Amino acid sequence: MTVDVVGVPIQNVTMEEAVSDCSAFLDSKDRRIVVTPNAEILQLCVEDAAVKDIICQADYIVPDGIGVVHGAKILGTPVKQKVAGCDLAWNLLGEAEKKGKRVFLLGAKPGVADTAAQKMKEQYPDLIIAGVQDGYFKQDAPVIETINAAQTDLLFVCLGVPKQEQWMVAHRQELNVSLMMGLGGSLDVFAGTVKRAPKIFIKLGLEWLYRLIKEPWRFKRMMKLPVFFVSVFKYKKQRRKAK
Ligand code: UDP
């Protein structure tokens, strides 16, 4: 079941349900795409129809962030919970390990994906890392060839938004994978190069504030959050008029 948040169909699922759905995607070579937009990205969809079109080509869109959860609630169609992309990906690795599926890590600065792979193996010793590739490559074809040659089932694409979504949609037919997921800075989080907010911030719905303190250059991007709520109220009004 999805709910419509500013024109984007967002999955109304718990984390457990999202993991189970994504795990089922691993069972067929259907080249499914999962994206994990937060409120800033949904605001980008409002402002840029091309980005919205790309995001909406994904098969499964989860609400990454408390802003999206609040947005859905304001629109009268609340979702069960926030499903952070990096948590979903991390939990899914457990399923990949159990099923013997092969994981490829694409993105982040050189060396980061290798460290992320090591951390994954610490938690999931039987996980098969099919390969890694940093996100600063010049040509797509050799990267796609490497991913296919590695017999990848699950591909994490961490090139930032909207580059990763554009990349996945553009190369979907060439990539012989079961599932690809756009996960932004998740490899940095897994590798430990970027720290996740302390639990108390997450519990209070203030993860964004922690990020702002730690990475103040994000200020301009984060200003999209209040703008997103304006868009949500506008969307609500428009929908009411249309009824
Ligand atoms: N990145 C990359 N290739 C690029 C641009 C960015 O691999 O050409 C990586 C960058 O190193 C970082 C991630 O993409 O690991 C983007 O992280 P960010 O936290 O900005 O993600 P977002 O907020 O866009 O989801």
Side-chain angles (χ1 to χ4, degrees):
M1 267 277 287
T2 60
V3 305
D4 174 351
V5 182
V6 297
V8 178
I10 301 287
Q11 292 292 330
N12 179 16
V13 285
T14 61
M15 175 59 82
E16 288 70 29
E17 288 164 342
V19 172
S20 153
D21 289 345
C22 291
S23 176
F25 295 157
L26 290 178
D27 297 332
S28 68
K29 282 273 178 194
D30 279 348
R31 307 179 159 97
R32 284 213 173 74
I33 294 179
V34 170
V35 296
T36 65
N38 59 15
E40 295 163 32
I41 293 154
L42 289 189
Q43 178 54 26
L44 197 63
C45 291
V46 172
E47 292 166 11
D48 188 336
V51 173
K52 182 174 166 190
D53 179 58
I54 294 276
I55 297 270
C56 289
Q57 287 190 50
D59 301 283
Y60 199 84
I61 310 176
V62 296
D64 176 308
I66 202 75
V68 184
V69 173
H70 284 315
K73 201 168 169 187
I74 293 167
L75 288 164
T77 48
V79 289
K80 291 176 186 167
Q81 60 176 210
K82 163 179 123 174
V83 180
C86 80
D87 293 334
L88 172 59
W90 189 260
N91 294 334
L92 188 60
L93 290 175
E95 296 296 307
E97 183 191 37
K98 268 188 242 157
K99 292 183 169 182
K101 299 291 179 184
R102 302 168 64 83
V103 184
F104 195 105
L105 311 178
L106 172 65
K109 299 214 172 91
V112 174
D114 304 84
T115 312
Q118 276 169 26
K119 302 277 176 183
M120 288 170 182
K121 292 287 280 181
E122 281 168 23
Q123 170 102 17
Y124 303 107
D126 293 331
L127 182 71
I128 306 166
I129 303 289
V132 299
Q133 161 70 50
D134 71 71
Y136 296 86
F137 51 91
K138 294 277 177 285
Q139 287 177 327
D140 295 323
V143 173
I144 293 166
E145 216 175 284
T146 307
I147 293 166
N148 288 340
Q151 297 184 320
T152 303
D153 299 298
L154 174 59
L155 174 64
F156 288 176
V157 186
C158 303
L159 306 173
V161 180
K163 190 173 176 182
Q164 63 202 18
E165 286 77 12
Q166 283 158 346
W167 198 86
M168 289 189 290
V169 168
H171 301 297
R172 185 178 204 150
Q173 294 314 322
E174 302 153 75
L175 288 159
N176 299 325
V177 303
S178 299
L179 174 60
M180 46 196 127
M181 304 175 82
L183 297 167
S186 294
L187 291 179
D188 296 296
V189 174
F190 300 152
T193 41
V194 168
K195 290 265 173 296
R196 201 73 199 279
K199 286 218 168 68
I200 183 74
F201 279 80
I202 297 177
K203 214 170 155 194
L204 294 173
L206 293 174
E207 198 170 355
W208 61 271
L209 178 64
Y210 180 82
R211 270 193 110 172
L212 186 59
I213 297 165
K214 286 284 184 191
E215 302 165 75
W217 60 89
R218 287 184 178 274
F219 181 73
K220 203 166 154 224
R221 258 183 75 170
M222 284 198 176
M223 283 319 289
K224 286 207 187 293
L225 188 66
V227 184
F228 167 71
F229 287 113
V230 174
S231 299
V232 167
F233 280 108
K234 270 195 198 151
Y235 194 73
K236 190 176 181 181
K237 217 165 144 186
Q238 273 169 13
R239 259 201 338 201
R240 213 183 282 145
K241 262 194 202 153
K243 270 184 191 164

PDB file of all heavy atoms in Angstrom, residues 212-231:
ATOM      1  N   LEU A 212      22.948  18.902  10.865  1.00  0.00           N
ATOM      2  CA  LEU A 212      23.191  20.314  10.581  1.00  0.00           C
ATOM      3  C   LEU A 212      24.355  20.845  11.423  1.00  0.00           C
ATOM      4  O   LEU A 212      25.203  21.592  10.938  1.00  0.00           O
ATOM      5  CB  LEU A 212      21.912  21.115  10.858  1.00  0.00           C
ATOM      6  CG  LEU A 212      21.957  22.589  10.475  1.00  0.00           C
ATOM      7  CD1 LEU A 212      22.257  22.763   8.997  1.00  0.00           C
ATOM      8  CD2 LEU A 212      20.628  23.264  10.795  1.00  0.00           C
ATOM      9  N   ILE A 213      24.414  20.382  12.682  1.00  0.00           N
ATOM     10  CA  ILE A 213      25.502  20.823  13.566  1.00  0.00           C
ATOM     11  C   ILE A 213      26.834  20.267  13.049  1.00  0.00           C
ATOM     12  O   ILE A 213      27.839  20.957  12.983  1.00  0.00           O
ATOM     13  CB  ILE A 213      25.243  20.364  15.026  1.00  0.00           C
ATOM     14  CG1 ILE A 213      23.970  21.022  15.576  1.00  0.00           C
ATOM     15  CG2 ILE A 213      26.444  20.681  15.922  1.00  0.00           C
ATOM     16  CD1 ILE A 213      23.427  20.392  16.852  1.00  0.00           C
ATOM     17  N   LYS A 214      26.807  18.973  12.660  1.00  0.00           N
ATOM     18  CA  LYS A 214      28.031  18.298  12.217  1.00  0.00           C
ATOM     19  C   LYS A 214      28.468  18.726  10.819  1.00  0.00           C
ATOM     20  O   LYS A 214      29.647  18.739  10.508  1.00  0.00           O
ATOM     21  CB  LYS A 214      27.808  16.775  12.213  1.00  0.00           C
ATOM     22  CG  LYS A 214      27.794  16.182  13.593  1.00  0.00           C
ATOM     23  CD  LYS A 214      29.212  16.096  14.096  1.00  0.00           C
ATOM     24  CE  LYS A 214      29.265  15.423  15.449  1.00  0.00           C
ATOM     25  NZ  LYS A 214      30.563  15.557  16.084  1.00  0.00           N
ATOM     26  N   GLU A 215      27.487  18.980   9.954  1.00  0.00           N
ATOM     27  CA  GLU A 215      27.799  19.305   8.557  1.00  0.00           C
ATOM     28  C   GLU A 215      27.078  20.590   8.179  1.00  0.00           C
ATOM     29  O   GLU A 215      26.082  20.556   7.447  1.00  0.00           O
ATOM     30  CB  GLU A 215      27.362  18.148   7.640  1.00  0.00           C
ATOM     31  CG  GLU A 215      28.018  16.822   7.987  1.00  0.00           C
ATOM     32  CD  GLU A 215      27.336  15.627   7.334  1.00  0.00           C
ATOM     33  OE1 GLU A 215      27.509  15.428   6.138  1.00  0.00           O
ATOM     34  OE2 GLU A 215      26.602  14.911   8.032  1.00  0.00           O
ATOM     35  N   PRO A 216      27.564  21.756   8.699  1.00  0.00           N
ATOM     36  CA  PRO A 216      26.823  23.009   8.531  1.00  0.00           C
ATOM     37  C   PRO A 216      26.653  23.441   7.072  1.00  0.00           C
ATOM     38  O   PRO A 216      25.740  24.197   6.765  1.00  0.00           O
ATOM     39  CB  PRO A 216      27.648  24.031   9.313  1.00  0.00           C
ATOM     40  CG  PRO A 216      28.916  23.372   9.688  1.00  0.00           C
ATOM     41  CD  PRO A 216      28.757  21.903   9.538  1.00  0.00           C
ATOM     42  N   TRP A 217      27.514  22.905   6.171  1.00  0.00           N
ATOM     43  CA  TRP A 217      27.375  23.269   4.752  1.00  0.00           C
ATOM     44  C   TRP A 217      26.061  22.735   4.159  1.00  0.00           C
ATOM     45  O   TRP A 217      25.674  23.079   3.060  1.00  0.00           O
ATOM     46  CB  TRP A 217      28.569  22.750   3.941  1.00  0.00           C
ATOM     47  CG  TRP A 217      28.714  21.267   3.990  1.00  0.00           C
ATOM     48  CD1 TRP A 217      28.151  20.353   3.149  1.00  0.00           C
ATOM     49  CD2 TRP A 217      29.466  20.498   4.934  1.00  0.00           C
ATOM     50  NE1 TRP A 217      28.497  19.075   3.517  1.00  0.00           N
ATOM     51  CE2 TRP A 217      29.306  19.138   4.609  1.00  0.00           C
ATOM     52  CE3 TRP A 217      30.275  20.837   6.039  1.00  0.00           C
ATOM     53  CZ2 TRP A 217      29.910  18.116   5.337  1.00  0.00           C
ATOM     54  CZ3 TRP A 217      30.866  19.811   6.749  1.00  0.00           C
ATOM     55  CH2 TRP A 217      30.682  18.483   6.409  1.00  0.00           C
ATOM     56  N   ARG A 218      25.377  21.877   4.939  1.00  0.00           N
ATOM     57  CA  ARG A 218      24.103  21.362   4.467  1.00  0.00           C
ATOM     58  C   ARG A 218      22.963  22.361   4.670  1.00  0.00           C
ATOM     59  O   ARG A 218      21.835  22.100   4.297  1.00  0.00           O
ATOM     60  CB  ARG A 218      23.727  20.086   5.230  1.00  0.00           C
ATOM     61  CG  ARG A 218      24.546  18.921   4.831  1.00  0.00           C
ATOM     62  CD  ARG A 218      24.084  17.667   5.532  1.00  0.00           C
ATOM     63  NE  ARG A 218      24.868  16.545   5.087  1.00  0.00           N
ATOM     64  CZ  ARG A 218      24.587  15.833   4.009  1.00  0.00           C
ATOM     65  NH1 ARG A 218      23.532  16.105   3.296  1.00  0.00           N
ATOM     66  NH2 ARG A 218      25.360  14.844   3.653  1.00  0.00           N
ATOM     67  N   PHE A 219      23.289  23.513   5.294  1.00  0.00           N
ATOM     68  CA  PHE A 219      22.238  24.458   5.676  1.00  0.00           C
ATOM     69  C   PHE A 219      21.292  24.782   4.519  1.00  0.00           C
ATOM     70  O   PHE A 219      20.074  24.710   4.661  1.00  0.00           O
ATOM     71  CB  PHE A 219      22.875  25.742   6.231  1.00  0.00           C
ATOM     72  CG  PHE A 219      21.856  26.749   6.678  1.00  0.00           C
ATOM     73  CD1 PHE A 219      21.119  26.542   7.839  1.00  0.00           C
ATOM     74  CD2 PHE A 219      21.599  27.893   5.938  1.00  0.00           C
ATOM     75  CE1 PHE A 219      20.162  27.458   8.245  1.00  0.00           C
ATOM     76  CE2 PHE A 219      20.642  28.813   6.331  1.00  0.00           C
ATOM     77  CZ  PHE A 219      19.926  28.590   7.492  1.00  0.00           C
ATOM     78  N   LYS A 220      21.893  25.117   3.350  1.00  0.00           N
ATOM     79  CA  LYS A 220      21.076  25.539   2.223  1.00  0.00           C
ATOM     80  C   LYS A 220      20.099  24.428   1.801  1.00  0.00           C
ATOM     81  O   LYS A 220      18.923  24.676   1.552  1.00  0.00           O
ATOM     82  CB  LYS A 220      21.989  25.919   1.051  1.00  0.00           C
ATOM     83  CG  LYS A 220      21.307  26.852   0.099  1.00  0.00           C
ATOM     84  CD  LYS A 220      22.274  27.496  -0.856  1.00  0.00           C
ATOM     85  CE  LYS A 220      21.498  27.867  -2.113  1.00  0.00           C
ATOM     86  NZ  LYS A 220      22.211  27.529  -3.324  1.00  0.00           N
ATOM     87  N   ARG A 221      20.660  23.214   1.760  1.00  0.00           N
ATOM     88  CA  ARG A 221      19.823  22.068   1.392  1.00  0.00           C
ATOM     89  C   ARG A 221      18.723  21.842   2.418  1.00  0.00           C
ATOM     90  O   ARG A 221      17.596  21.522   2.084  1.00  0.00           O
ATOM     91  CB  ARG A 221      20.700  20.817   1.332  1.00  0.00           C
ATOM     92  CG  ARG A 221      21.046  20.451  -0.079  1.00  0.00           C
ATOM     93  CD  ARG A 221      21.840  19.188  -0.116  1.00  0.00           C
ATOM     94  NE  ARG A 221      21.012  18.020   0.126  1.00  0.00           N
ATOM     95  CZ  ARG A 221      21.474  16.784  -0.047  1.00  0.00           C
ATOM     96  NH1 ARG A 221      22.705  16.586  -0.456  1.00  0.00           N
ATOM     97  NH2 ARG A 221      20.709  15.755   0.186  1.00  0.00           N
ATOM     98  N   MET A 222      19.096  22.026   3.694  1.00  0.00           N
ATOM     99  CA  MET A 222      18.122  21.751   4.751  1.00  0.00           C
ATOM    100  C   MET A 222      17.012  22.786   4.811  1.00  0.00           C
ATOM    101  O   MET A 222      15.955  22.520   5.373  1.00  0.00           O
ATOM    102  CB  MET A 222      18.834  21.664   6.093  1.00  0.00           C
ATOM    103  CG  MET A 222      19.543  20.354   6.213  1.00  0.00           C
ATOM    104  SD  MET A 222      19.927  20.005   7.891  1.00  0.00           S
ATOM    105  CE  MET A 222      20.634  18.382   7.729  1.00  0.00           C
ATOM    106  N   MET A 223      17.286  23.953   4.232  1.00  0.00           N
ATOM    107  CA  MET A 223      16.225  24.969   4.199  1.00  0.00           C
ATOM    108  C   MET A 223      15.039  24.487   3.367  1.00  0.00           C
ATOM    109  O   MET A 223      13.965  25.068   3.392  1.00  0.00           O
ATOM    110  CB  MET A 223      16.769  26.294   3.643  1.00  0.00           C
ATOM    111  CG  MET A 223      17.594  27.084   4.641  1.00  0.00           C
ATOM    112  SD  MET A 223      16.902  27.066   6.295  1.00  0.00           S
ATOM    113  CE  MET A 223      15.473  28.097   6.021  1.00  0.00           C
ATOM    114  N   LYS A 224      15.280  23.400   2.635  1.00  0.00           N
ATOM    115  CA  LYS A 224      14.180  22.820   1.862  1.00  0.00           C
ATOM    116  C   LYS A 224      13.142  22.167   2.771  1.00  0.00           C
ATOM    117  O   LYS A 224      12.018  21.925   2.354  1.00  0.00           O
ATOM    118  CB  LYS A 224      14.717  21.783   0.866  1.00  0.00           C
ATOM    119  CG  LYS A 224      15.421  22.398  -0.324  1.00  0.00           C
ATOM    120  CD  LYS A 224      15.335  21.468  -1.516  1.00  0.00           C
ATOM    121  CE  LYS A 224      16.149  21.936  -2.700  1.00  0.00           C
ATOM    122  NZ  LYS A 224      15.650  23.156  -3.297  1.00  0.00           N
ATOM    123  N   LEU A 225      13.522  21.877   4.001  1.00  0.00           N
ATOM    124  CA  LEU A 225      12.591  21.191   4.903  1.00  0.00           C
ATOM    125  C   LEU A 225      11.357  22.051   5.214  1.00  0.00           C
ATOM    126  O   LEU A 225      10.232  21.600   4.977  1.00  0.00           O
ATOM    127  CB  LEU A 225      13.318  20.740   6.175  1.00  0.00           C
ATOM    128  CG  LEU A 225      12.498  19.864   7.098  1.00  0.00           C
ATOM    129  CD1 LEU A 225      12.177  18.516   6.456  1.00  0.00           C
ATOM    130  CD2 LEU A 225      13.222  19.614   8.412  1.00  0.00           C
ATOM    131  N   PRO A 226      11.537  23.306   5.723  1.00  0.00           N
ATOM    132  CA  PRO A 226      10.342  24.129   5.924  1.00  0.00           C
ATOM    133  C   PRO A 226       9.583  24.378   4.618  1.00  0.00           C
ATOM    134  O   PRO A 226       8.345  24.396   4.613  1.00  0.00           O
ATOM    135  CB  PRO A 226      10.886  25.442   6.507  1.00  0.00           C
ATOM    136  CG  PRO A 226      12.354  25.399   6.365  1.00  0.00           C
ATOM    137  CD  PRO A 226      12.758  23.972   6.214  1.00  0.00           C
ATOM    138  N   VAL A 227      10.309  24.526   3.518  1.00  0.00           N
ATOM    139  CA  VAL A 227       9.654  24.757   2.219  1.00  0.00           C
ATOM    140  C   VAL A 227       8.799  23.539   1.848  1.00  0.00           C
ATOM    141  O   VAL A 227       7.715  23.667   1.286  1.00  0.00           O
ATOM    142  CB  VAL A 227      10.708  25.048   1.120  1.00  0.00           C
ATOM    143  CG1 VAL A 227      10.033  25.389  -0.199  1.00  0.00           C
ATOM    144  CG2 VAL A 227      11.631  26.174   1.534  1.00  0.00           C
ATOM    145  N   PHE A 228       9.309  22.346   2.201  1.00  0.00           N
ATOM    146  CA  PHE A 228       8.564  21.108   1.931  1.00  0.00           C
ATOM    147  C   PHE A 228       7.194  21.155   2.624  1.00  0.00           C
ATOM    148  O   PHE A 228       6.175  20.794   2.028  1.00  0.00           O
ATOM    149  CB  PHE A 228       9.376  19.894   2.401  1.00  0.00           C
ATOM    150  CG  PHE A 228       8.592  18.606   2.460  1.00  0.00           C
ATOM    151  CD1 PHE A 228       8.188  17.964   1.291  1.00  0.00           C
ATOM    152  CD2 PHE A 228       8.251  18.031   3.678  1.00  0.00           C
ATOM    153  CE1 PHE A 228       7.452  16.782   1.347  1.00  0.00           C
ATOM    154  CE2 PHE A 228       7.525  16.851   3.742  1.00  0.00           C
ATOM    155  CZ  PHE A 228       7.122  16.224   2.572  1.00  0.00           C
ATOM    156  N   PHE A 229       7.176  21.626   3.875  1.00  0.00           N
ATOM    157  CA  PHE A 229       5.894  21.661   4.590  1.00  0.00           C
ATOM    158  C   PHE A 229       4.924  22.653   3.942  1.00  0.00           C
ATOM    159  O   PHE A 229       3.724  22.394   3.889  1.00  0.00           O
ATOM    160  CB  PHE A 229       6.102  21.943   6.081  1.00  0.00           C
ATOM    161  CG  PHE A 229       6.674  20.754   6.791  1.00  0.00           C
ATOM    162  CD1 PHE A 229       7.955  20.778   7.321  1.00  0.00           C
ATOM    163  CD2 PHE A 229       5.944  19.576   6.878  1.00  0.00           C
ATOM    164  CE1 PHE A 229       8.495  19.663   7.932  1.00  0.00           C
ATOM    165  CE2 PHE A 229       6.469  18.440   7.489  1.00  0.00           C
ATOM    166  CZ  PHE A 229       7.752  18.484   8.022  1.00  0.00           C
ATOM    167  N   VAL A 230       5.445  23.745   3.418  1.00  0.00           N
ATOM    168  CA  VAL A 230       4.601  24.687   2.671  1.00  0.00           C
ATOM    169  C   VAL A 230       4.003  23.951   1.465  1.00  0.00           C
ATOM    170  O   VAL A 230       2.803  24.025   1.191  1.00  0.00           O
ATOM    171  CB  VAL A 230       5.410  25.939   2.229  1.00  0.00           C
ATOM    172  CG1 VAL A 230       4.572  26.840   1.340  1.00  0.00           C
ATOM    173  CG2 VAL A 230       5.938  26.705   3.437  1.00  0.00           C
ATOM    174  N   SER A 231       4.842  23.195   0.765  1.00  0.00           N
ATOM    175  CA  SER A 231       4.372  22.436  -0.406  1.00  0.00           C
ATOM    176  C   SER A 231       3.293  21.433  -0.002  1.00  0.00           C
ATOM    177  O   SER A 231       2.323  21.233  -0.734  1.00  0.00           O
ATOM    178  CB  SER A 231       5.521  21.665  -1.052  1.00  0.00           C
ATOM    179  OG  SER A 231       6.506  22.538  -1.489  1.00  0.00           O
TER     180      SER A 231
END
